[in-house]
Amino acid sequence: MLGLEHDFRIVDTRATLDPDESSVATHGRDISPERLEREMLQAGIVRAVASPGQRAPGRSYLRANNAVARLSIDRPFVAFARLNGPRDAGTGPMSVVRNLRAEREDHHARPDDVEQYSYDDRFHGFTLAPSVDGLPNEDVLTRLEEADLPLIVHAGKRFPPAAVETELLGYDLPVVLGSFGGHPLDADLMGETLDLLDEHDRLYVDTTAVRYREVLERGILEHPDRVLFGSGAPDAHPNVGVMEVLTLDVSEDLMRRVFAKNPVRLVPALAEGADV
């Protein structure tokens, strides 16, 4: 695919690195760091947040996180540690019952893990995918609050914005809802997330897989400082996400905020010349 031509500095808050055979087998793809970097450059993306793909059930993310950090060295990637937990992310009565008996197992994230990642200069934030990895215990979330690093949350139909508000937004830390909180392609949930931005000052959204022009434009126009570019690579070629923003009916200044200013303010390691 030909590289895009534009005059923007673009950084990406949503990319996945599959560092080992287990992750590749679970997620069904095999994208090397070299290929991911090449596709980023084709899209004009100069730096990207990267975290591991989904692990098989019962597997810890410790090795995968360390592998992503290692693979990010001398590459334009900023490593985020992925966390899991024993609590069911569902919102129904069965989930409530399950969570009454949920006990942390050896492969689940612990407060000490969060502390270790927080003080390890290889990691610059955290990723949660509650619908597939479960929710961490409250002591882990409290330690995340103390760390005060960005937390990217995969939200959508299986972990909707209302659940995000109940489970996470009571903690004082920056939270980024992937896909405007409406994956996959749920415009109503995306609208609910945009309403939450009015109520929570430390809530942000990324543009990953938001295919609705009206939703993207509304988010950028109403909350110009809290929309971050995310490509979702390698699930989609990063060219796709870049083009979706480039073709919006918003000013170049707003595009620059989405592509770089907003992400860099939240994740300083994405800045030009940052030591990562």
Side-chain angles (χ1 to χ4, degrees):
M1 184 179 291
L2 296 176
L4 293 181
E5 294 185 5
H6 52 72
D7 295 324
F8 295 98
R9 181 182 189 270
I10 301 177
V11 297
D12 188 351
T13 57
R14 181 79 171 275
T16 300
L17 271 178
D18 289 315
D20 54 37
E21 293 180 0
S22 174
S23 296
V24 171
T26 300
H27 222 58
R29 64 186 177 210
D30 186 6
I31 302 293
S32 68
E34 292 77 17
R35 179 177 170 185
L36 182 60
E37 181 177 359
R38 184 168 62 251
E39 291 185 352
M40 293 285 183
L41 292 175
Q42 288 174 347
I45 296 170
V46 296
R47 192 162 290 178
V49 167
S51 56
Q54 182 182 346
R55 300 283 287 174
R59 298 292 300 276
S60 168
Y61 279 101
L62 178 61
R63 291 183 62 186
N65 287 331
N66 287 332
V68 167
R70 184 180 68 254
L71 293 170
S72 298
I73 297 173
D74 295 328
R75 292 190 175 96
F77 300 133
V78 173
F80 272 41
R82 184 162 172 164
L83 305 177
N84 57 9
R87 295 194 294 135
D88 193 312
T91 57
M94 290 302 297
S95 296
V96 174
V97 172
R98 291 191 195 100
N99 287 337
L100 291 175
R101 303 177 60 183
E103 295 185 4
R104 184 160 50 210
E105 299 183 23
D106 289 343
H107 64 279
H108 291 135
R110 298 175 178 274
D112 290 348
D113 297 329
V114 174
E115 184 172 10
Q116 179 180 345
Y117 291 132
S118 301
Y119 287 101
D120 188 334
D121 58 9
R122 300 178 304 163
F123 296 99
H124 302 271
F126 299 91
T127 298
L128 275 182
S131 65
V132 296
D133 291 335
L135 276 167
N137 295 83
E138 292 183 9
D139 54 359
V140 172
L141 297 176
T142 299
R143 195 62 61 89
L144 284 171
E145 182 179 42
E146 294 171 357
D148 201 33
L149 293 174
L151 175 66
I152 296 175
V153 180
H154 298 197
K157 292 182 179 179
R158 296 175 61 188
F159 189 60
V164 174
E165 184 175 32
T166 299
E167 297 290 350
L168 300 176
L169 297 187
Y171 297 90
D172 186 15
L173 75 162
V175 174
V176 182
L177 283 197
S179 305
F180 275 39
H183 183 79
L185 294 175
D186 190 316
D188 290 338
L189 291 183
M190 294 176 188
E192 290 180 21
T193 296
L194 293 180
D195 292 338
L196 286 178
L197 289 174
D198 293 323
E199 305 172 21
H200 299 276
D201 293 339
R202 304 197 77 187
L203 179 63
Y204 300 80
V205 293
D206 78 36
T207 64
T208 304
V210 181
R211 306 300 184 220
Y212 300 110
R213 176 190 294 265
E214 300 84 2
V215 174
L216 284 170
E217 290 180 352
R218 176 192 164 192
I220 293 170
L221 292 171
E222 293 183 1
H223 305 279
D225 295 324
R226 287 194 275 159
V227 179
L228 320 174
F229 174 72
S231 73
D235 286 333
H237 194 289
N239 272 356
V240 176
V242 172
M243 281 300 302
E244 286 181 335
V245 176
L246 288 176
T247 53
L248 296 177
D249 187 17
V250 299
S251 69
E252 287 193 8
D253 175 66
L254 291 177
M255 289 186 186
R256 293 186 194 282
R257 293 191 195 190
V258 173
F259 279 141
K261 291 182 180 179
N262 295 344
V264 165
R265 189 175 67 253
L266 191 64
V267 187
L270 292 170
E272 189 171 5
D275 184 15
V276 295

